[in-house]
Amino acid sequence: MNRFAIKAGLGACVLGASVLIPAQVSAEPAATATGTELSGMTVFLDPGHQGSSEGHDLAQQVNDGRGNTKDCQTSGMTSLGGVPEHTINWNVSQLVKSSLESLGAKVVLSRQDDTGWGGCVDERARAASESNADLAVSIHADSTAQGEDASKHGFHMIIPSLPIPDEKADAAQSGGGLEASKMMRDAYKSDGFVPANYAGVNDGLQTRADVAGPALTQIPLVFVEMGNGSNKEDSAQLESTDGQLKHAITITTGIVTYLLTGSEAAPAEGLAAAPAATTAPEASEDSASSTTTTTPKAAPKSTAPDSAQFSELMEMLAPLLEVEGLDGLQDLVNDKNLGLVSDLASTLMAVITGAGGN
């Protein structure tokens, strides 16, 4: 499987253009998506935090899933450039939502806007569980200092300490949740993101017993920390339009890889399944059916685009973003920019063709 074919195709998917999906084997070309590949599948997206906590007590104590309590919610970090985490999370989540829906998936959100209240951590976990989604993804950005912290950088996935007291949550997170988290980690590494170098993170994974969301969620959950908002380079990428788009494409790649190739996944109609991949600062958390524990398969090799290729795509995308902004990406195909979308799709196809196999 050519992971870049997934990534580049999802970039086009965000624009409403034709997309590509994993091929059965690397020798075969990636298939053209029909928009039904994820039909019948549901993803619960949790954009961390909220625009306003007015009328709510962030310090209200709620169940932490391990017999204790913790604060209902936190306000989230603010990047070095002054962008609140809740807005970064929201923008990325909207791009992921658009991409997944373009492939036929149903997407359920933990909050419906970036202005109001988003719910306590236990409420989001309950909403995720009740959605019966195939996968929940909680999207966050980390912070290690009030000001700049040049020494700490990188992404990571938060993995709950096992076992979890709740049997359904334990089965979900020790099975599909762990497998999906490793696939998401692999997608991040494949796309050139560097694993975090702090807080005990090991190859992009951090095991925690103090984050309530995974301990309360009874469906597989991936808890993404996209980067450290206290680090100058990480912060600049989290704040920028192209950086948020790159994170969104990577997160969508991880989700699609799990849904189509995970150990519990059934092949979509007309598509053969590909081989599957496989003292800390307080988390900025507000995360969100049981799956059996399985041994993840070996991750496939990937061909990620180099910086020049991504720059070329972003150069073509820039005029569209200037017209519509992030919130309008799903409506970009219209008379005034159809030519640009067509040019972008052609460029994506040319890059994919030149990328070769694994």
Side-chain angles (χ1 to χ4, degrees):
M1 178 178 66
N2 184 337
R3 187 181 294 276
F4 177 55
I6 304 175
K7 178 184 184 296
L10 290 169
C13 181
V14 171
L15 297 173
S18 296
V19 298
L20 304 176
I21 52 180
Q24 181 176 4
V25 291
S26 61
E28 298 177 2
T32 300
T34 64
T36 61
E37 287 71 26
L38 300 184
S39 292
M41 299 181 183
T42 301
V43 177
F44 184 91
L45 289 182
D46 173 38
H49 308 285
Q50 62 278 312
S52 172
S53 59
E54 183 177 358
H56 298 272
D57 180 10
L58 295 181
Q60 173 190 341
Q61 294 300 289
V62 300
N63 179 17
D64 74 346
R66 298 184 185 272
N68 298 304
T69 63
K70 70 176 303 174
D71 289 351
C72 153
Q73 189 53 267
T74 62
S75 58
M77 69 90 180
T78 299
S79 71
L80 292 177
V83 181
E85 182 190 343
H86 66 80
T87 295
I88 295 169
N89 300 338
W90 177 257
N91 288 345
V92 172
S93 296
Q94 289 301 290
L95 293 170
V96 174
K97 176 177 181 289
S98 175
S99 297
L100 294 173
E101 289 178 339
S102 295
L103 288 171
K106 176 183 177 182
V107 177
V108 180
L109 292 172
S110 64
R111 57 186 174 101
Q112 303 308 308
D113 56 52
D114 195 40
T115 56
W117 172 244
C120 293
V121 293
D122 61 329
E123 294 172 323
R124 296 191 188 206
R126 182 166 56 251
S129 300
E130 292 176 352
S131 74
N132 290 316
D134 298 276
L135 182 66
V137 180
S138 190
I139 299 175
H140 290 261
D142 203 10
S143 178
T144 56
Q146 291 294 326
E148 184 175 354
D149 189 347
S151 65
K152 299 181 179 67
H153 60 82
F155 78 89
H156 64 279
M157 311 296 143
I158 294 180
I159 306 294
S161 296
L162 299 172
I164 297 170
D166 182 274
E167 291 184 1
K168 289 185 177 180
D170 184 64
Q173 305 322 326
S174 64
L178 181 58
E179 183 179 19
S181 296
K182 290 181 177 179
M183 288 181 174
M184 187 70 74
R185 181 271 314 274
D186 291 345
Y188 259 82
K189 290 177 66 176
S190 174
D191 286 352
F193 290 96
V194 178
N197 64 347
Y198 61 91
V201 174
N202 182 12
D203 195 23
L205 303 178
Q206 181 195 51
T207 301
R208 299 279 294 275
D210 61 334
V211 182
L216 292 168
T217 303
Q218 297 179 342
I219 62 172
L221 169 69
V222 177
F223 196 114
V224 183
E225 293 283 6
M226 296 181 286
N228 182 8
S230 302
N231 177 274
K232 186 176 181 180
E233 289 74 23
D234 281 11
S235 183
Q237 186 167 61
L238 290 167
E239 296 165 2
S240 69
T241 297
D242 61 337
Q244 291 174 9
L245 178 62
K246 188 172 183 180
H247 276 289
I249 292 173
T250 302
I251 290 171
T252 308
T253 300
I255 293 171
V256 172
T257 301
Y258 173 74
L259 293 179
L260 294 184
T261 73
S263 59
E264 297 297 317
E269 184 176 355
L271 175 68
T278 176
T279 35
E282 178 159 348
S284 54
E285 100 165 85
D286 59 345
S287 81
S289 43
S290 155
T291 51
T292 57
T293 303
T294 58
T295 302
K297 308 177 186 70
K301 295 179 182 178
S302 59
T303 304
D306 60 28
S307 58
Q309 290 169 335
F310 189 77
S311 297
E312 180 182 3
L313 299 182
M314 286 309 306
E315 184 177 351
M316 298 186 70
L317 184 57
L320 304 180
L321 292 171
E322 290 175 3
V323 172
E324 301 289 350
L326 284 169
D327 292 337
L329 278 176
Q330 62 269 36
D331 302 317
L332 283 174
V333 181
N334 53 49
D335 291 341
K336 65 183 176 181
N337 57 38
L338 185 58
L340 281 171
V341 172
S342 177
D343 289 344
L344 177 63
S346 296
T347 301
L348 288 168
M349 288 298 295
V351 173
I352 293 166
T353 301
N358 279 6

